[in-house]
Amino acid sequence: MPPWNHHQEGCDDSDERPWRQRPDVNSPNPLPRPDWLAQVREPSLAPEQKIVDAHHHLWDRRGFRYLLEEFADDIGNSGHRVTASVYVQCRTMYRASGPTAYRSVGEIEFVRGLSAQARSGHYGPTDVAAAIVGHADLLMGANVAPVLETLIEAGGGRFRGVRMPVAAHPDPTVRSNPVPAPEGLLVSKPFTEGAQELARRGLSLDIWAYQTQLDEVAFLARRLPALTIVLDHAGGPLGVGPYSSSHADRNSVHRRAWRDGLARLAELPNVMLKIGGFGMPIMGFGFDTGKVPPDSQRLADAIAPDVDACIEHFTPSRCMLESNFPVDKGSISYGVLWNAYHRLTASWSQEERNAVFHDTATRVYRLPAGS
């Protein structure tokens, strides 16, 4: 029996899926080093450009606290005009008891509270978590419907969709999640039936998948054309293990395979793309290994071919920029990251810049007017 069929209902306390529930201890991503990051400081290259940070997390974990205060400090110290943000699930503050399927409601309640704090203005002008992407076990199939209704209610008008861990690879050196998901989730019948419940409610599905899984994403997108799918982190171009030479050789078979996967997905109008996540070690850039952190010019030069490929296939109207903080904070400072994006888009029209920095995320996540 495939692993995704085990306990597929997922509604009682006896259900054990550690890859879904366990906090990110022993994460393969580096922890932030404030003194190291402080070696490179830059003023904003475009302080008037409105930005929606389309993907970030907030959490309080052993030895790693990143809550509203820390996020607001990163934004405020950067000099960038971040008007709103999209919070994306990270298995934080789940309920400690009650039916397993409903424990992720605790994350929405928690983030909704932080969002209310942000709207007080005491932490700056950013509408933090203007949209909230949470978690629901889509392997429950149609039975996930009441869970989604509870999440919608808990979100107080800010709940926009679901993300469920699906990134998987048979090679243990290709790993970005502390507890990888079983392979094949995206093409399983229960997952498709659960995702259909999102579409029925006008909710979106965020997917963090590796380049080797892009055809599975395409399978789901074709099966559910009414479902808006947001592909995270540039569609997972890999740079570790058997893919470790990919960034040095942009014409390698692996890089071509990633670009070809993006091209096939771009043919499906219900798929959107987030550009970012380049600070994660799995991307292979090694930004965290230098004596000093990258400045925006070095960062822009390194990621330009990947960003260009994303834009070539999806166009600015279907792309949005993300910080992936605090995950990428182990490699890049917040201000430097957005300056790199400014450098990469400097020759674009203002309409194109507005799309990737603000408008696409505002439209896809249905952000409040004025965000």
Side-chain angles (χ1 to χ4, degrees):
M1 178 179 293
W4 44 260
N5 270 338
H6 179 62
H7 293 306
Q8 70 180 48
E9 297 299 322
C11 289
D12 59 40
D13 292 357
S14 65
D15 182 19
E16 294 183 358
R17 290 202 191 110
W19 53 269
R20 184 193 64 195
Q21 279 280 89
R22 192 179 301 167
D24 282 337
V25 294
N26 301 318
S27 172
N29 297 306
L31 294 177
R33 294 165 286 166
D35 292 343
W36 180 75
L37 289 172
Q39 295 179 84
V40 177
R41 296 182 181 276
E42 300 178 355
S44 173
L45 296 177
E48 298 305 314
Q49 175 66 54
K50 292 178 66 175
I51 295 171
V52 170
D53 186 340
H55 189 112
H56 74 92
H57 312 292
L58 300 168
W59 59 50
D60 193 357
R61 296 174 177 167
R62 284 178 291 178
F64 191 176
R65 181 183 189 271
Y66 196 80
L67 297 175
L68 176 59
E69 183 176 357
E70 288 76 18
F71 187 43
D73 283 346
D74 279 335
I75 294 172
N77 293 333
S78 75
H80 295 290
R81 188 184 176 191
V82 182
T83 59
S85 75
V86 178
Y87 171 90
V88 179
Q89 70 82 219
C90 54
R91 298 186 296 279
T92 192
M93 297 298 175
Y94 278 19
R95 293 173 176 175
S97 61
T100 302
Y102 289 85
R103 291 185 183 178
S104 65
V105 176
E107 181 169 26
I108 308 305
E109 295 168 328
F110 168 68
V111 176
R112 181 183 175 186
L114 293 183
S115 180
Q117 273 187 278
R119 293 196 299 280
S120 72
H122 291 303
Y123 299 86
T126 305
D127 189 357
V128 175
I132 302 172
V133 176
H135 170 81
D137 186 357
L138 299 182
L139 293 178
M140 294 171 63
N143 292 322
V144 78
V147 179
L148 295 177
E149 293 296 336
T150 303
L151 290 166
I152 291 170
E153 182 179 3
R158 297 201 162 210
F159 183 74
R160 292 292 182 268
V162 159
R163 187 174 76 156
M164 181 173 164
V166 300
H169 195 283
D171 191 321
T173 64
V174 181
R175 179 171 170 262
S176 61
N177 298 327
V179 184
E183 294 182 62
L185 294 183
L186 284 168
V187 297
S188 70
K189 182 178 179 181
F191 192 97
T192 302
E193 292 176 346
Q196 177 67 58
E197 296 300 318
L198 293 174
R200 287 177 177 145
R201 290 163 177 79
L203 300 172
S204 60
L205 176 64
D206 264 64
I207 294 178
W208 165 217
Y210 302 145
Q211 66 177 73
T212 49
Q213 298 173 286
L214 295 185
D215 284 342
E216 295 182 22
V217 179
F219 169 87
L220 183 67
R222 285 192 295 267
R223 287 287 300 271
L224 301 175
L227 174 66
T228 296
I229 293 175
V230 183
L231 187 62
D232 298 341
H233 312 327
L238 296 171
V240 295
Y243 308 88
S244 58
S245 63
S246 295
H247 287 295
D249 180 6
R250 297 293 177 167
N251 291 315
S252 71
V253 62
H254 297 308
R255 301 309 287 176
R256 292 198 304 271
W258 167 68
R259 291 195 297 268
D260 290 346
L262 284 186
R264 289 190 292 272
L265 274 172
E267 295 174 356
L268 304 169
N270 56 324
V271 181
M272 309 295 158
L273 183 65
K274 287 181 183 175
I275 298 175
F278 301 110
M280 293 186 291
I282 198 167
M283 297 285 198
F285 289 102
F287 294 132
D288 63 305
T289 62
K291 185 176 180 181
V292 297
D295 61 18
S296 61
Q297 187 63 66
R298 177 190 163 197
L299 179 57
D301 291 343
I303 68 175
D306 289 352
V307 174
D308 289 346
C310 291
I311 295 298
E312 175 187 352
H313 295 302
F314 278 85
T315 76
S317 66
R318 292 170 63 193
C319 289
M320 57 193 95
L321 297 171
E322 53 159 317
S323 72
N324 194 35
F325 262 49
V327 179
D328 278 30
K329 192 175 180 179
S331 300
I332 307 162
S333 69
Y334 199 81
V336 163
L337 174 62
W338 290 103
N339 268 351
Y341 291 148
H342 288 313
R343 290 183 184 278
L344 290 168
T345 59
S347 64
W348 297 12
S349 70
Q350 189 59 51
E351 181 180 6
E352 291 171 327
R353 286 172 55 82
N354 289 343
V356 296
F357 280 100
H358 179 274
D359 295 351
T360 302
T362 299
R363 182 185 75 250
V364 171
Y365 287 109
R366 296 175 283 123
L367 300 188
S371 291

